[in-house]
Amino acid sequence: MLETWRWFGPTDSVTLKNIRQAGARGVVTSLHHIPTGDAWPQEEVDARKKDIEAAGLHWAVVESIPLHNDIKTRSGRYREYIDNYKASVRAVGRAGIQVVCYNFMPVVDWTRTNLNFELDNASEALRFEMRDFIAYDVFILERPNAEASYSESALLTAKQRFEQMSEAEKNALEKNIIAGLPGGEGSYTRDSIREAIAEFIALGTEGFRENLMRFLEEIIPVADEVGVRMCIHPDDPPFSLFGLPRVVSTAEDARKLLERVPSENNGLTLCAGSFGARCDNDLVAMAKEFGPRIHFVHLRNVKREDDGSFYEAEHLDGDNDMVGLINALMDEEQRRAACGRTDRIPMRPDHGHALGDEIGKPGVNPGYSFAGRLKGLAELRGVIHALSVMRRAN
Ligand code: DNO
């Protein structure tokens, strides 16, 4: 597998030099300063690529070219935004960057309720706590008819939780949920998020899915033309939030979108932590089934709880079979090599705990500490190394 590392650009507290020190060679980044919906100018893509190469690295994956909400709802200025999106994919392809990750999540990108969940070993993890999320949705945001999305007992637990929360806790919860996490799209106020939610709910699941399919039908031919592998990132978390439709949460969702546009350039980002937050997603089976269409992998683990809550565990110590997953991905690499492909599947150690002096340090992106990801990468590298040795011996 190709070791890559997410970099948030020149303002990231983790530098390109640090990435080299971590041992990764591929960089995963985006032009974060360009507003969502605008076309990426060729010169800007080329200049960023040059900076990365000057540091002895290469730009392996664009994560993400974000989609404007108008594309997701197929309303407003979506025509213009799709044309801009095509221009961005062309600019990236012309620069020789072969992989583009994106998502089709409604309203909010990845979502957590607690960014400082203390673990037994005194480091901090990201956590999604269901009762806190429900407390926000029903009692703070007061989304119309929100109660209908939850069971009586879940509502009761959320109400008790809400009554115990201090104002500071309520504010922090709101900020975590609606202000957007690193690399995420969409930053809202209470009013603007209520409005966006209503607009997406009105589409219904199949209406929303159809909007994704129509986007793919337009974008994948452009990706084919410039040799770019598009890979959609799953919903994180992989279940409905705020009663919104979700269309990239399960193997069946993935199957539908891959079948609709059969080009190999219509692919998946296998985010182990996102798909893996549902117990009915079998990651090893998914890696086998979707192998040829997996163009990028996020390796991260989660510990799931009965009510849907989860937290981000050590990379090798969650509920998902990380070793089995890596082995299945190595099978796919072997298959590709037999067909004459020389590239390897880019993987990045996704998220990491806050530990050491990065805990509480301003400027460290939640989930994207240096030490936490370094530890994750080192553990994953060990697995890859051991599997390679064993596979060669067999
Ligand atoms: C979180 C990330 C997401 C991801 C986007 C892809 O850490 O996995 O922000 O980059 O959803 O479009």
Side-chain angles (χ1 to χ4, degrees):
M1 312 211 66
L2 175 75
E3 291 180 10
T4 68
W5 187 279
R6 189 174 203 178
W7 183 57
F8 290 110
T11 58
D12 196 329
S13 60
V14 180
T15 62
L16 290 172
K17 191 170 168 189
N18 295 151
I19 299 176
R20 282 193 60 183
Q21 292 162 342
R25 284 292 170 266
V27 170
V28 175
T29 194
S30 177
L31 297 182
H32 291 285
H33 60 284
I34 298 190
T36 300
D38 286 9
W40 286 15
Q42 188 72 52
E43 320 75 75
E44 294 223 31
V45 175
D46 294 346
R48 181 57 58 84
K49 183 174 180 243
K50 216 166 129 209
D51 291 345
I52 293 170
E53 287 171 359
L57 300 163
H58 79 277
W59 191 349
V61 179
V62 173
E63 179 176 0
S64 308
I65 304 181
L67 273 77
H68 193 281
N69 272 352
D70 283 5
I71 301 183
K72 298 181 186 174
T73 53
R74 270 187 103 77
S75 65
R77 293 163 62 187
Y78 76 97
R79 270 274 121 247
E80 180 187 337
Y81 292 130
I82 290 183
D83 287 343
N84 289 349
Y85 204 97
K86 290 179 182 171
S88 302
V89 171
R90 287 198 176 97
V92 163
R94 283 194 208 106
I97 306 159
Q98 288 172 334
V99 183
V100 172
C101 167
Y102 65 102
N103 74 71
F104 208 81
M105 290 184 233
V107 186
V108 281
D109 200 298
W110 64 298
T111 302
R112 300 290 181 271
T113 56
N114 183 351
L115 310 183
N116 312 97
F117 177 62
E118 197 169 318
L119 300 172
D120 283 349
N121 68 2
S123 50
E124 291 181 357
L126 307 182
R127 175 173 169 84
F128 181 89
E129 172 122 7
M130 194 54 99
R131 57 179 192 162
D132 287 26
F133 185 83
I134 300 175
Y136 179 73
D137 189 18
V138 178
F139 304 111
I140 300 177
L141 180 63
E142 297 177 318
R143 174 172 66 87
N145 204 26
E147 294 83 351
S149 302
Y150 309 105
S151 69
E152 291 267 317
S153 66
L155 284 168
L156 189 66
T157 319
K159 184 149 196 280
Q160 286 161 350
R161 172 74 183 122
F162 172 70
E163 281 161 1
Q164 287 162 0
M165 273 184 209
S166 66
E167 279 312 301
E169 280 177 308
K170 288 180 199 163
N171 292 337
L173 179 63
E174 173 154 67
K175 185 163 171 282
N176 294 344
I177 297 175
I178 73 174
L181 294 173
E185 275 310 304
S187 183
Y188 297 91
T189 60
R190 233 177 254 181
D191 285 338
S192 67
I193 201 167
R194 267 197 221 103
E195 228 174 86
I197 291 170
E199 199 186 347
F200 278 83
I201 287 182
L203 295 169
T205 302
E206 292 318 312
F208 185 50
R209 192 190 309 279
E210 191 54 25
N211 291 353
L212 166 60
M213 302 299 190
R214 292 171 76 178
F215 170 72
L216 292 173
E217 283 169 346
E218 288 197 64
I219 286 300
I220 302 302
V222 175
D224 290 341
E225 170 197 312
V226 291
V228 163
R229 300 187 182 104
M230 299 292 298
C231 43
I232 195 163
H233 186 284
D235 303 324
D236 184 1
F239 43 77
S240 174
L241 296 179
F242 298 120
L244 287 162
R246 284 291 213 195
V247 293
V248 198
S249 293
T250 62
E252 183 55 21
D253 288 336
R255 215 168 279 136
K256 284 187 179 149
L257 72 95
L258 296 178
E259 275 167 10
R260 177 72 168 254
V261 182
S263 162
E264 202 168 278
N265 291 323
N266 177 26
L268 280 186
T269 297
L270 196 130
C271 176
S274 303
F275 278 130
R278 278 179 84 111
C279 62
D280 56 352
N281 280 334
D282 177 342
L283 297 179
V284 178
M286 288 170 85
K288 287 189 179 140
E289 175 178 352
F290 303 124
R293 308 285 280 277
I294 296 172
H295 303 317
F296 184 32
V297 191
H298 288 178
L299 295 178
R300 144 170 102 70
N301 224 324
V302 288
K303 280 240 165 115
R304 299 181 293 253
E305 293 160 30
D306 289 345
D307 66 350
S309 306
F310 60 87
Y311 69 88
E312 301 192 1
E314 302 271 346
H315 286 74
L316 302 184
D317 179 41
D319 289 324
N320 294 306
D321 174 7
M322 192 59 83
V323 177
L325 172 62
I326 293 175
N327 197 41
L329 293 164
M330 290 173 90
D331 284 344
E332 170 57 19
E333 284 188 322
Q334 207 173 344
R335 190 200 62 80
R336 291 181 191 184
C339 301
R341 258 174 82 170
T342 53
D343 59 321
R344 285 168 302 147
I345 302 175
M347 70 81 159
R348 67 175 177 83
D350 196 15
H351 302 178
H353 296 156
L355 44 105
D357 64 3
E358 283 180 305
I359 293 184
K361 191 169 159 189
V364 177
N365 286 307
Y368 287 92
S369 67
F370 182 56
R373 284 184 292 164
L374 185 63
K375 181 178 167 199
L377 178 60
E379 293 179 353
L380 295 165
R381 182 183 292 147
V383 170
I384 294 167
H385 183 75
L387 284 173
S388 316
V389 172
M390 282 165 56
R391 293 165 66 97
R392 269 200 303 271
N394 287 328

